[in-house]
Amino acid sequence: LTVLTGNSVVEAAPTAIELTYTGTAQNLVNGGTAYGGTLVYSLTKDGQYTETIPQGTNAGEYKVWYYVQGDANHSDSAKASLDVIIAKASYDMTGTKWNYTEPFRYDGTEHTIQVIGLPNGVTVSGYTGNTAMVAGDYTAGVTLDYDRANYNEPVIEDLDWQIVNNWTPTEYTVNGSGW
């Protein structure tokens, strides 16, 4: 008696999931279905294949390999792959602002403005133009440290700020002639 084996078939291929970085592992694909065996997955073509859907954590590009591992009556299907991207996340910067609301009055002391309300994971690495002591117009800028691998660059616009004179010009008359 000779038993012939048939070919296994991917009935519905797995599909990529649109993903954004969350800091936790996420399934990379929606599972597919198979006839004549079990659909198995791997993150490398020649790696270990399992029924478990592969997961990814960090932002970046992933290649998910799959095939039908044939049962006793069916041969394995050919390996196929699909590309999946976990996109970078964006920080919620809605509560972030400069701590400047109105011009400073010149008083002979140094005035400093800073960025406040930064979300977790974002820190200030440096400022430009945020400190001054004399009356004038200034522009402050900030450089931020953040998780560049998994997040889009947070944006804080430069700020134009001022120190204004604290005196009012007065006309003086000395001995009947103008000053």
Side-chain angles (χ1 to χ4, degrees), residues 4-17:
L4 300 175
T5 61
N7 294 327
S8 59
V9 177
V10 175
E11 291 181 314
T15 56
I17 300 173

Side-chain angles (χ1 to χ4, degrees), residues 88-104:
K88 290 183 177 186
S90 294
Y91 289 103
D92 180 0
M93 301 295 285
T94 56
T96 304
K97 61 184 180 178
W98 290 94
N99 68 343
Y100 174 81
T101 56
E102 62 185 38
F104 294 102

